[in-house]
Amino acid sequence: MMLGAAMKVTGSKPLAHIPVKGDYCIHDWDRLARFMEVPWTMPENFPIATLAASRAFYWLDDDDPALAKRFTLAAYDTYFGQGRDITDPETVAEIAEPLGIDREALLAAIQDPVIKQRLKDETTAAIDAGVFGSPFFIVDGEQFWGADRLWMIKRWLRSGGW
Amino acid sequence: MMLGAAMKVTGSKPLAHIPVKGDYCIHDWDRLARFMEVPWTMPENFPIATLAASRAFYWLDDDDPALAKRFTLAAYDTYFGQGRDITDPETVAEIAEPLGIDREALLAAIQDPVIKQRLKDETTAAIDAGVFGSPFFIVDGEQFWGADRLWMIKRWLRSGGW
């Protein structure tokens, strides 16, 4: 879903734009990435509107969910791992190409009114389900917000909740 | 420190007052408390200005830091464990009494201009040190915000950082 739209519901600003807290968060993300030993480069443009990548995801997901997932990981790695702006559809096509995704078909899908509407509908559905941030998980109706709650989701799934 | 003053720096509103996110957080706190098996009652009045309790803390802390800590735990338990409003100095005195703290002396300390100034100075010092939320920890200049980062502080202290 488009996070900007979801954040409007709560009146939230992007963390990186908030005085003091933004600087702390950027430091914390870097520290977390070093701890987790995952590639991390704070993008110069952050946040961005990920319309192109999000539309590409839904286009792929209908036909091949596993491919859509691989594409998503590549898009995240390009943006957060390499710090490279992925706003431009051409960049999204470049990310998709090594996965065997046809460049022209992807660029056409990104402009397809049906796919555009799909992303809008998914965003509306997410907001209606109470999503206000990312990552956000819903497990049998139970909401979990934030990477900080992944441990809780694991325990919830194992135990059936409490 | 006075959290309201620290939150002004970032333009943050109390979580519980934020649409959608507030409801999620209240649910999450309850879920966390059940998981941790700690007493939890969401206070009807939340947040409150904890001037009386905070001044009492600094008054006690100068003479007896261990007593100040016991008082703090009792104040937290009264507010978050029992859900009872602790704004009123009389309530703070009532919390302190079973710990052997003299009621009249405490009530006088809460109105003492020196103690009032002390809390203001501590709040200013905290904000100057980059504190924008609570709980907030600074370990050898390294900032950690949130109960969600307690695991990281433990690892940081054990390893010397990364």
Side-chain angles (χ1 to χ4, degrees):
Chain A
M1 47 80 199
M2 296 311 291
L3 186 55
M7 286 175 78
K8 272 187 194 156
V9 175
T10 60
S12 298
K13 283 192 296 184
L15 271 173
H17 292 183
I18 298 173
V20 188
K21 198 184 209 170
D23 291 338
Y24 168 84
C25 287
I26 290 169
H27 179 78
D28 185 55
W29 296 333
D30 194 64
R31 179 169 66 185
L32 258 180
R34 291 198 311 271
F35 176 75
M36 296 167 83
E37 298 180 355
V38 291
W40 174 260
T41 308
M42 183 64 206
E44 266 186 54
N45 284 341
F46 179 82
I48 53 170
T50 56
L51 281 169
S54 301
R55 288 177 191 157
F57 168 81
Y58 283 113
W59 172 62
L60 293 168
D61 195 49
D62 279 337
D63 279 339
D64 190 340
L67 180 60
K69 190 177 171 185
R70 287 202 302 281
F71 163 75
T72 303
L73 290 172
Y76 268 88
D77 181 62
T78 304
Y79 188 47
F80 290 114
Q82 303 166 35
R84 191 173 156 210
D85 193 329
I86 62 165
T87 308
D88 187 359
E90 294 290 338
T91 309
V92 173
E94 215 177 289
I95 294 165
E97 239 170 359
L99 302 170
I101 299 162
D102 184 74
R103 178 183 191 85
E104 294 310 317
L106 180 134
L107 289 172
I110 287 172
Q111 300 306 330
D112 182 338
V114 174
I115 300 290
K116 286 183 177 182
Q117 189 58 45
R118 172 74 183 280
L119 178 57
K120 282 183 194 164
D121 292 345
E122 295 283 354
T123 298
T124 303
I127 292 170
D128 288 348
V131 174
F132 57 82
S134 175
F136 205 100
F137 311 87
I138 302 177
V139 179
D140 296 334
E142 189 74 15
Q143 302 174 332
F144 298 90
W145 167 48
D148 294 325
R149 284 293 176 276
L150 285 172
W151 67 269
M152 195 189 253
I153 297 171
K154 279 186 197 168
R155 284 173 192 260
W156 194 272
L157 287 167
R158 272 183 207 142
S159 70
W162 57 85
Chain B
M1 46 77 200
M2 297 309 293
L3 185 56
M7 286 175 78
K8 271 185 195 156
V9 175
T10 60
S12 299
K13 284 193 294 183
L15 272 174
H17 292 183
I18 298 174
V20 188
K21 196 185 211 171
D23 291 338
Y24 169 83
C25 287
I26 290 169
H27 179 78
D28 184 55
W29 297 333
D30 194 64
R31 179 170 65 185
L32 258 181
R34 290 197 310 272
F35 176 74
M36 296 167 83
E37 296 180 358
V38 291
W40 174 261
T41 309
M42 183 63 205
E44 266 186 53
N45 283 342
F46 179 83
I48 53 169
T50 55
L51 282 167
S54 302
R55 288 177 191 157
F57 169 80
Y58 283 114
W59 172 63
L60 293 167
D61 194 49
D62 280 336
D63 281 339
D64 191 339
L67 181 60
K69 189 179 170 184
R70 288 203 300 282
F71 163 76
T72 303
L73 290 173
Y76 268 88
D77 181 62
T78 304
Y79 188 48
F80 290 113
Q82 303 167 35
R84 192 174 154 208
D85 194 329
I86 61 166
T87 308
D88 188 359
E90 295 290 339
T91 309
V92 173
E94 216 177 287
I95 293 164
E97 241 171 356
L99 302 171
I101 298 162
D102 184 74
R103 176 183 193 86
E104 294 310 317
L106 180 135
L107 289 171
I110 286 172
Q111 300 306 330
D112 182 340
V114 174
I115 300 291
K116 286 183 176 181
Q117 189 58 46
R118 172 74 183 280
L119 178 58
K120 282 183 194 164
D121 292 344
E122 295 282 357
T123 298
T124 303
I127 292 170
D128 288 348
V131 173
F132 57 82
S134 175
F136 204 100
F137 310 87
I138 301 177
V139 179
D140 298 333
E142 190 75 16
Q143 303 174 332
F144 298 91
W145 168 49
D148 293 325
R149 284 294 176 275
L150 285 172
W151 67 268
M152 196 189 254
I153 297 171
K154 279 186 197 166
R155 284 174 192 259
W156 194 272
L157 287 168
R158 272 184 206 143
S159 69
W162 58 84

